[in-house]
Amino acid sequence: MPSRVHVIVVARTGAPAAAQLSRTLDALRGQSTPPQAVTVVVLGDGAQVRALEGIGHSVEAIIEARATTSFAEAVALAQPRVADGSAVWLLTHDSVPERRALQLLAGSLERSPSAAIAAPKLVRHDDGRAIVSMGVTMSRLGRTVELAADELDQGQHDADEDTLGADVRGMLIRGAAPVVLRPDTGLGGADEGLDLGVRARLGGARTVLVPKARISVRPDGVAAAPQRDSARAWVSRRAQLHRRLVYAPAIAVPLHWLSLLPLALWRSIAHLVGKRPSAVAPEWGAALASMISIGAVMRSRRAIRSFRSASWASIAPLRVTRTQLRHRLDDGHGSERGAVSELRFFSGGGAWAVLAALVVGIAAFFPLLAWPSAGGGELLPMRQGVAELWRDAGWGLRDLGLAVIGPADPFAAVLAVLGTLWPGSPSFAVVLLWLGALPLAVLGGWFAATRVTERSGLRILGGVLWALAPTFLAALVQGRPAAVLLHLLLPWLFHSAAVAHRSWGAAGAASLLAAAALACAPSLAPALVLLWALTLILMLSTRRIRGAVRVFWLLIPAATMFAPLVYWQLRHGDPWALLADPGAVQSLAQASSDAVGRLLIAQGFPAPGHGGWDVLLGAEIAPFAALLLAPVAILALTSALSPRWRAGFALLITTMTGLITAILAVGIAVSFTDGDVVPLWPGTGLSLAWLGAVGAALVTLDTVVARPALRSAAALVTGAAVVVCAVPGLLAVNLGEAQIRNGATSTLPALVAAHAADDADSGTLIMTPLDDGSLATELVWGPSDTLGAQTTMLSTATRVQGDDLATGAVDLISSRDFDAAAELAGHGIAFVLLSSAPGRSDQARSMVDAAVTAIDQRPGFVKAGETPNGMLWQVDSEISERAQPTETQRAAGHLVGWAQLIVVLSALLLAIPTRASRREARARSRVVGRSADEPLAPSQRQRTDSGTGAVAVSSVAPVDTAAPQEPDEPDELAESTEPAEAGEQTPGDAERANAPDAEPAHAAVEEQSR
């Protein structure tokens, strides 16, 4: 046994720490072989420590240090008081050794002359059977791996002796060991024990484990890893980079230093994919801190060189291999076994429902099979190239108006994604959207129903009800692409947002879907923000902090996408214009803002005609169509009385929020077209209301109706009524009652389109005389007016945006004497089109005749003749280049674009599923809000009672038995690089971390399974 043992105890201040220190000192006095000296280093004011009873008899010195002093720095302060040749025992105020701990540790060093360090078994302070840490090693690339942690102690590791390193708490360091075998202050508070073991090996010694020497520790002690994920990630990554620079060969140190920032970027991406966003900021902070800590690195390298006698090959046998690491972090069940809730998309009939909807969709929109593009309503051609689509989605020069520079509507990004799916002809992607609208709606509705019910029949009913919603059919018939896309996105938003509090994967997907949904319908922003705020308050009130953080993220991408437009409208326009419907503005038939119109909206119809029944049966009988939606409403209201009443109330709140949004939206008019004021379309709010109503109806059918025959009958009546209500909408295209039509590839005359194919920056001035004697003007750049080029900057403008185009147009058709051709050519305008829509008033027609005469008399205009779009003239003058943004404007656009891209990519990386995230999703019930007294669905009872029922029961608890593995970095410049990710969870950590987010439903399923 060593002749002398000097104990260094590092303690915090405060009453709890003082009480724990008192127990530690009592344990030291009660050791079977007591130490010769004890030094206490207090991090802060040492008054409470000095006031402890008997402190003067058991402690030879008390040293005060700053409260921010690390464990390694505290040990360095006490080192001068250690006599030569004395062994050093490292403890903290919360480390309570058992009676024979020191005797066993010292005896191990006595029996092993080659050992420089003896490490005990650390157990939990409140449960001596739980192992906190016993031995640490690292992978080939330096990843820290605990040999035993968060395990039940059954003696399974007591035969282990040789190890690369261990937890620094409780280590006994031989007195003859070099002075450098003390914790490295440059590590910043992590991996001290592993680093000491590596240094001992390089010095020709080794670290031995003494399993019978037990020390109880707390998780929040001085030398323990921080409890917060971000703080743990910081100290771990800081230690990783320090060890990398210290261990690497001298020639590789500059390369490592240069790689710190690129690796920080790579690892940030890996953190987001691995659902660890809290580790991104510490990653960059640790990289920057390591870049400026060259002095600490040099001191550590000199210390190793002063005693190194062995090569790195002596460490290799103690490292864990990649196969061993994968085996340790795997639960052995892959990603399939242990599922509580199976999807059953094919076996449950979901695939057949989608296939049937595809057949119905093709039959309902059969004429579209021959259309190259769709027109009519708010439909316009798309850009001809994918690059042009994405250019329209960024801040810059807009392709409408004269020198209009500013942000694009977020809806342009949604259209760019849509057009990219069919890059050869983006306009045909819209035709495919219409043809696939019904099956896509059934698919989305089916998946949304999986959050409400386990019953396959009800899931199919949910998909059918969602696809045949009156507001969806009205959007298809009237040619409203934004409303169609919104209706297709909402069920997926519900599917992911309902479980966003459970995981970062669901939160990332929901945030992207929320951004896309708001881009399609900005008028839904108040409703979605209200629902988001209520959910966030609920999370915070129940102290589910992790869930609240994930829910908070949901609207961050949407806020980033809308921020430039918000800034523009607040500075140049009207804040109410932020609610404007995106895309082309058309004065289509819709419900009025009077009492009758709002009553029609309350019945579920966004436009007059009760879903087309006025055409089939007449205006007198059509109002009775509202009775066909009554079963859905009755079932939805009954959900408030169901066993799952919490879910019912949540869905009813969603219904009321959407309904109020629709009723208020029809009275808000912020867009203009051809002199007409166009109110917001109420159909977007009705889509949200229909989502809540269908979900609430499924809750009722799933929980209230107990008898299968009665449930089937109620579902059949409800589905049949909605199918009958949808008949006029499904027949509208084939009967010629729809606004959509075969669209041309260009909205401009063929001569303009051909000319613009060679000169895309040429403009066409379109003038339209109105019935009231005024003149509407529009400037289109390129071969056509496109859907992605539309901007609410112009459609909601109440004052001139860019140069004054209207004044020049009026002067052109007036008697004012000026060189009109040269002025237009100077702005890059090559054509003038005088549009004269049929059915205009006499005043409008006389204005057309006067304008034709005026332009014909002006020099510099070549009359191209009458076209289907109107009278066309070509400017016979040298066309100047179009005005371009300044360097400052370009820089602002690039800055905005990069900021939006970073946020969207972050959300996309979070949304990418991993093996662990899929396993976690399968380990929890898909149904959200299940009550404790609710009976199980037949499918769940079958899984519980079957031979695999034990697996299902054991997997009900939200335990992630295989935490996401962090990808190895593409860096092998040093023999040892990095330890484990600080944010990575062990099985025990995952269980404790997920427990606050567990829903009562899981406990109910487990109890009933038992």
Side-chain angles (χ1 to χ4, degrees), residues 45 79 129 209 211 221 254 316 432 456 463 538 664 673 707 750 805 839 855 892 935 972:
D45 187 6
Q79 189 63 41
R129 299 174 301 170
L209 293 174
L432 293 178
S456 300
L538 178 62
L664 294 179
T673 178
R707 297 178 60 181
L805 178 66
I855 298 176
E972 300 183 24

Side-chain angles (χ1 to χ4, degrees), residues 398 400 404 407-409 565 583 787-796:
R398 308 262 61 89
L400 292 176
V404 177
D409 292 336
L565 187 61
L787 194 57
Q790 307 304 305
T791 172
T792 55
M793 291 170 49
L794 294 178
S795 63
T796 63

Side-chain angles (χ1 to χ4, degrees), residues 219-244:
D220 56 350
V222 176
Q227 298 297 296
R228 290 188 301 111
D229 289 344
S230 58
R232 188 186 306 118
W234 157 257
V235 297
S236 176
R237 185 56 176 166
R238 180 71 181 87
Q240 292 172 22
L241 297 181
H242 178 79
R243 289 196 303 112
R244 173 175 300 174

